[in-house]
Amino acid sequence: MKLLVCGGAGFIGSNFVRIRLAQGDEITVLDKLTYAGRRENLQDLDVRLVVGGIEDPAAIADAIGGCDAIVNFAAETHVDRSITEPDAFVTTHAVGTYTLLEAARERSLRYVQVSTDEVYGSIESGSFTEQSPLQPSSPYSATKAGADLLVASYHHTYGLEALICRGSNNYGPYQYPEKLIPLMILNALHGDPLPVYGDGQQVRNWIFVEDFARGIGHVLEHGAPGETYNVGGPDEAVNLDVVKRIIALTGASDDLIEYVTDRPGHDRRYSLGSEKARALGWEAQVRFGEGLEKTVAWYRDNTAWWAPIRSGDYRAYYERQYGRALG
Ligand SMILES: NC(=O)c1ccc[n+]([C@@H]2O[C@H](COP(=O)([O-])OP(=O)(O)OC[C@H]3O[C@@H](n4cnc5c(N)ncnc54)[C@H](O)[C@@H]3O)[C@@H](O)[C@H]2O)c1
């Protein structure tokens, strides 16, 4: 297939691109290269990169020629940033998704929107299905939910071959270190404090990034237009236990754990039921223990990838967020 992958220079997008190229796809990436999007994530890959925003029709027109389908990963993805600076979330998720949908509609292209379990909100027990109501609780998840509704409306109103794929918490290589797992790995490797929000008892449903990328590919190829598919990981874990496992894998000390003020409106538990994606023939292959070991090893072995981040603007972000400097 010839794919336009928007947001393909980010964490999940670049993993998706790597897997799909190996399967023989031809790929153009359209990416704004925000702080989270990096040329380095694609540097060993044979792709055309167009630098631009999905809210810019001219950038889309430059990138879209010859493509059979669009997969949209482009997003602002950090809940903490959505609380302090929501503007870019509205621009990219609302205006950006609209602009991209219009381009898909003009050309009758198949369209997959990459979305998140956070649109369902928090659940105490059991798991969300695709029929669960959307009850987002942060500017991040609310704007993602808005984008999903717009995508669904383009199928319903215009007959666009649009599908939605909602993932649970991803982890793995190439994830920007503001997110829980790479943050804890890099801090543990450096002997920096490990900032745990609140009581650390939040529960997340973890999926190894390659499993999610394969799930999105499955939905792209086999999903029914107009349908939404949950693609969740095989294991749940409490945040504090995740941190303790990382301590064990890096040989750091438990004394590095530091409890910090909880994120406002922090969701307690996410859980996705993925039976519908399984019925398409997809199955997660990587259990959390194995994936976490691989991820720690990748960060340990790829200093050249994270060193420029940890010594750049990320330092100022970290200081604002946690009220202390990185070591
Ligand atoms: N990380 C997770 O745990 C997770 C879980 C489920 C779903 N998702 C969804 O998967 C997608 C990718 O997430 P990620 O973790 O790889 O994010 P990321 O922050 O690593 O990457 C986002 C990418 O989008 C690009 N981008 C941002 N705004 C853009 C714009 N206006 N136009 C073009 N490009 C733009 C960035 O430069 C970056 O390359 C997002 O839609 C996210 O909501 C993420």
Side-chain angles (χ1 to χ4, degrees):
M1 279 175 116
K2 290 189 181 170
L3 298 179
L4 173 61
V5 179
C6 301
F11 162 50
I12 306 173
S14 64
N15 276 284
F16 175 82
V17 167
R18 191 164 286 109
I19 287 173
R20 297 297 303 198
L21 283 174
Q23 292 173 11
D25 284 345
E26 239 176 76
I27 295 182
T28 299
V29 168
L30 172 63
D31 197 296
K32 202 171 178 176
L33 298 184
T34 67
Y35 72 95
R38 302 182 73 215
R39 285 178 193 278
E40 291 90 325
N41 294 353
L42 301 171
Q43 75 187 358
D44 51 330
L45 303 177
D46 182 16
V47 288
R48 175 172 170 241
L49 170 64
V50 175
V51 179
I54 56 167
E55 64 279 15
D56 176 0
I60 297 173
D62 183 11
I64 206 166
C67 291
D68 313 310
I70 300 176
V71 183
N72 182 28
F73 293 87
E76 291 290 334
T77 59
H78 194 35
V79 176
D80 288 341
R81 291 185 195 250
S82 83
I83 294 168
T84 51
E85 303 158 65
D87 337 18
F89 291 73
V90 176
T91 303
T92 294
H93 303 171
V95 183
T97 303
Y98 156 73
T99 312
L100 206 47
L101 283 167
E102 278 297 303
R105 180 161 84 94
E106 268 169 39
R107 297 162 178 86
S108 300
L109 297 180
R110 194 168 168 92
Y111 179 103
V112 175
Q113 176 77 359
V114 179
S115 185
T116 164
D117 57 0
E118 299 197 29
V119 298
Y120 298 117
S122 195
I123 188 165
E124 262 180 42
S125 58
S127 299
F128 290 117
T129 71
E130 292 80 359
Q131 269 71 49
S132 300
L134 303 188
Q135 292 187 308
S137 43
S138 68
Y140 164 66
S141 51
T143 50
K144 288 293 291 183
D148 285 6
L149 294 176
L150 198 58
V151 171
S153 81
Y154 267 62
H155 172 72
H156 192 78
T157 309
Y158 305 114
L160 185 74
E161 268 193 49
L163 303 95
I164 299 169
C165 187
R166 296 191 177 127
S168 61
N169 271 55
N170 277 238
Y171 67 101
Y174 301 96
Q175 188 169 29
Y176 195 81
E178 66 192 351
K179 304 284 169 52
L180 181 77
I181 287 181
L183 166 77
M184 295 299 166
I185 294 173
L186 292 184
N187 280 20
L189 291 174
H190 287 82
D192 278 328
L194 306 175
V196 172
Y197 280 142
D199 59 6
Q201 293 305 305
Q202 306 84 2
V203 178
R204 298 294 182 257
N205 177 192
W206 292 101
I207 185 164
F208 190 61
V209 64
E210 290 174 10
D211 274 339
F212 187 40
R214 285 189 309 97
I216 295 163
H218 230 80
V219 168
L220 170 69
E221 285 176 16
H222 307 292
E227 295 294 319
T228 294
Y229 297 87
N230 289 343
V231 175
D235 296 294
E236 288 188 7
V238 170
N239 280 355
L240 187 59
D241 291 343
V242 173
V243 175
K244 289 186 172 163
R245 282 176 185 239
I246 290 171
I247 287 174
L249 288 167
T250 53
S253 159
D254 273 356
D255 297 343
L256 291 178
I257 293 177
E258 190 175 276
Y259 293 93
V260 300
T261 309
D262 207 353
R263 165 191 288 168
H266 205 170
D267 287 334
R268 241 7 222 179
R269 178 172 175 265
Y270 298 132
S271 181
L272 272 189
S274 309
E275 285 69 23
K276 199 169 157 184
R278 273 197 213 102
L280 280 186
W282 168 86
E283 192 71 59
Q285 292 174 359
V286 182
R287 299 298 302 265
F288 188 54
E290 180 197 346
L292 194 60
E293 239 179 86
K294 279 190 188 175
T295 306
V296 169
W298 188 85
Y299 281 90
R300 207 198 283 277
D301 294 345
N302 285 277
T303 315
W305 184 85
W306 53 255
I309 298 176
R310 242 182 99 95
S311 59
D313 293 348
Y314 175 71
R315 295 188 79 77
Y317 155 79
Y318 188 91
E319 212 166 318
R320 277 197 311 279
Q321 193 62 31
Y322 297 108
R324 64 151 71 228
L326 276 175

